Amino acid sequence: MLKLLIVDGQGGGIGRQLVEAIRNAKIPCQITAVGTNTTATAAMLKAGADQAATGENSVVVCCRDADVIAGPVGIAIADSLLGEITPKMALAIGQSRAKKLLLPVNHCNNIIVGVGDLALRTLTGEAVSYLSALTNE
């Protein structure tokens, strides 16, 4: 079964929407949610994550055996999400063997050139399509 790690911070809204969309699509995967704070973690757990944890060390540890890591693009950039992503978190995500499914959310001074400001619903839909294809390989 696919091991999916979803990382989010601030209020956890992007992670929550990812978890809900994946659950609604009935993609067979184990979802581990790691928030940079307890609010983000609680939002993803409430949305249906199988297990959840909070903080820097949890990100580092969970990156070790994930097949896919998903979240806003800022999770791979040190000091992003208003400083909630530590350099250790960004390094662990970047060095993980997992595929990275990063939503190009253009905020917090991280602008992905060539990518318009797409609605979060559109971005999560594309993420779900990608995960669905992965589980059908």
Side-chain angles (χ1 to χ4, degrees):
M1 179 175 288
L2 185 75
K3 292 180 182 177
L4 172 62
L5 170 61
I6 298 178
V7 179
D8 199 7
Q10 298 179 321
I14 293 171
R16 176 185 51 78
Q17 287 189 43
L18 274 171
V19 172
E20 288 173 351
I22 292 162
R23 289 295 182 225
N24 288 338
K26 300 188 183 336
I27 295 175
C29 62
Q30 176 187 356
I31 299 176
T32 300
V34 177
T36 60
N37 60 64
T38 57
T39 302
T41 303
M44 293 184 284
L45 193 56
K46 185 176 179 181
D50 295 304
Q51 55 190 358
T54 302
E56 179 183 79
N57 196 59
S58 295
V59 171
V60 172
V61 170
C62 291
C63 282
R64 292 179 188 154
D65 70 342
D67 298 312
V68 177
I69 300 171
V73 68
I75 65 172
I77 302 170
D79 298 331
S80 66
L81 301 184
L82 299 176
E84 291 187 20
I85 299 298
T86 68
K88 271 187 170 179
M89 290 172 167
L91 184 65
I93 290 166
Q95 289 184 339
S96 173
R97 66 169 182 76
K99 293 182 188 292
K100 283 74 169 183
L101 186 54
L102 303 173
L103 281 67
V105 181
N106 290 325
H107 69 339
C108 293
N109 293 327
N110 296 314
I111 308 301
I112 309 300
V113 176
V115 176
D117 284 328
L118 301 173
L120 190 52
R121 172 178 251 157
T122 301
L123 294 173
T124 55
E126 289 184 24
V128 167
S129 294
Y130 179 79
L131 286 171
S132 182
L134 269 181
T135 58
N136 291 323
E137 289 181 347

